[in-house]
Amino acid sequence: MRRVALLLAGVLAAGGGATAAPDGDGPSVEDAWIRAAPPVAEVMAGYLTLRAGGTAIEVVAAACEGFGRVEIHESVVVDDVATMRPLATLPLAAGASRRFAPGGLHLMLLEPARIPAVGEDVACRLELAAGDPIDFTAPVRRSVGEDDHAHHHHH
Amino acid sequence: MSSVGKLALYAVIAVVAAGLGLLAATRWSTPPAPEQALMLERPRPLPEFALTDHTGVEFGPARLRGHWTFLFFGFTHCPDICPTTLQTLAQARAELEDLPAAQRPAVVMVSVDPGRDTPAQLAGYVPYFDPEFLGVVGAEDALRALTGNLGVAYGYTPDADGEGYTVDHTAAIFLVDPAGRLAAVFGTPHNAERIAADYRAVLAAAG
């Protein structure tokens, strides 16, 4: 984690970023990944589990290295018709967690400088209404649990 | 026990035995029904339509004959549902690798975003998920011939900033049989193992 934090400090150069820390009482991001997309893609999606920790949080903005814009979107499938709606902010109560997963909540990554390939790590940040932002890295994968054996959880 | 009581008991035993026999027959002699996919009692022919595939070749009903085909409707400016579905279908096809080539399904993504998805854009996008996948698009009226018949809905919603738009669309997957008829509809949510298992069930039912 320290290596990630150092990397991010250089990449994002915004200072004061809290590392994604699964333990401890602060907010954290776990199991982040970005769905691999072909080079002609104009958008990508990022998935993760967000935990509020000991106090309530409100995510007000998101950013990922190499993308002009990152928005929080939710896919909603009603009667087999898929729609997508942006969320202005994402509030989360103390102790709560939200899973960003395919077919539901996701980070929509827009305006790519280029499309990162499978295996690349993308540095991302969630800005909160109060407190330090949450910095994390998201590996690019074909699907959850694939192409990243280091983080493969099989039981 | 009275004779009436005995009669009732025998009747119950007979009914239970018949039930067990029926259960056994269903278990062992008929193929399992699809878990999620909805099979049409009578496969329904598709209408005439003239679209273009990602190599620039015309794509009409004739291209759906001689093999099974999964049809999916989507667009490439889609971050979540479409790439997820294409990846799921790629996994489902990998699950079906053991089938003879003639029984393996083709996969076609029909773009419902002709304003942005040219054949060239589809060529760069769809085969990324599986080299054998085909992207197909056409003019609005040509598209309507197919989507209208299948009951596929789609519409355009402008982004908040007014610069772009997103496409709402039916996310079900349609299975077309080798005679070019609609045979089954796979509803959401999609799961690769279940799609593969249900596909086998549809194949078995079709004989």
Side-chain angles (χ1 to χ4, degrees):
Chain A
M1 273 306 153
R2 181 188 288 164
R3 196 180 61 82
V4 171
L6 289 173
L7 183 76
L8 276 165
V11 169
L12 293 171
T19 318
D23 41 24
D25 206 33
S28 65
V29 164
E30 292 164 38
D31 300 328
W33 63 287
I34 290 171
R35 160 92 60 205
V40 300
E42 302 275 352
V43 293
M44 296 179 89
Y47 306 106
L48 53 92
T49 298
L50 173 66
R51 294 185 196 287
T55 47
I57 58 169
E58 184 179 8
V59 180
V60 294
C64 289
E65 187 196 4
F67 292 85
R69 217 152 37 101
V70 177
E71 299 173 356
I72 300 172
H73 282 232
E74 185 161 31
S75 296
V76 182
V77 182
V78 179
D79 291 338
D80 279 339
V81 175
T83 60
M84 208 170 64
R85 55 174 191 172
L87 300 182
T89 69
L90 181 70
L92 206 57
S97 66
R98 277 296 293 273
R99 193 158 166 255
F100 290 51
L105 209 55
H106 57 274
L107 294 179
M108 180 162 172
L109 284 52
L110 299 118
E111 298 166 15
R114 62 171 187 88
I115 295 293
V118 170
E120 283 189 47
D121 282 336
V122 177
C124 295
R125 158 172 289 183
L126 298 182
E127 299 278 356
L128 306 179
D132 292 337
I134 308 170
D135 289 339
F136 59 98
T137 53
V140 178
R141 298 179 188 161
R142 286 261 180 187
S143 64
V144 64
E146 279 196 2
D147 306 315
D148 188 351
H149 296 285
H151 294 102
H152 204 129
H153 302 295
H154 252 320
H155 300 288
Chain B
M1 197 178 276
S2 71
S3 63
V4 172
K6 265 187 195 159
L7 203 61
L9 184 64
Y10 291 148
V12 167
I13 288 169
V15 166
V16 169
L20 284 175
L22 194 66
L23 184 70
T26 323
R27 262 278 159 92
W28 289 302
S29 68
T30 57
E35 182 189 334
Q36 185 190 36
L38 195 69
M39 277 176 66
L40 276 71
E41 268 183 52
R42 277 193 299 272
R44 187 161 60 75
L46 296 182
E48 283 298 319
F49 60 90
L51 301 170
T52 305
D53 76 17
H54 74 239
T55 69
V57 175
E58 184 180 316
F59 188 93
R63 299 280 298 276
L64 293 170
R65 298 205 184 103
H67 53 82
W68 293 84
T69 308
F70 279 123
L71 281 183
F72 167 69
F73 295 81
F75 64 114
T76 72
H77 284 60
C78 170
D80 183 38
I81 297 282
C82 309
T84 298
T85 305
L86 284 167
Q87 184 61 31
T88 300
L89 284 169
Q91 286 169 340
R93 249 182 68 92
E95 296 265 335
L96 297 166
E97 274 297 303
D98 61 298
L99 290 176
Q103 289 188 2
R104 266 177 252 150
V107 173
V108 175
M109 184 180 99
V110 181
S111 171
V112 287
D113 188 9
R116 291 181 296 197
D117 285 341
T118 58
Q121 171 71 9
L122 289 169
Y125 194 87
V126 180
Y128 173 82
F129 296 90
D130 183 313
E132 291 187 40
F133 284 10
L134 203 60
V136 161
V137 71
E140 192 75 23
D141 53 344
L143 211 49
R144 293 267 176 213
L146 183 60
T147 57
N149 180 274
L150 289 173
V152 168
Y154 61 99
Y156 307 105
T157 305
D159 291 341
D161 59 16
E163 283 181 23
Y165 60 91
T166 185
V167 186
D168 305 334
H169 60 95
T170 295
I173 298 167
F174 299 84
L175 181 61
V176 178
D177 73 10
R181 304 171 303 181
L182 177 64
V185 180
F186 291 59
T188 55
H190 300 309
N191 169 281
E193 285 81 23
R194 190 169 53 210
I195 288 172
D198 280 3
Y199 175 73
R200 289 180 201 272
V202 174
L203 273 193

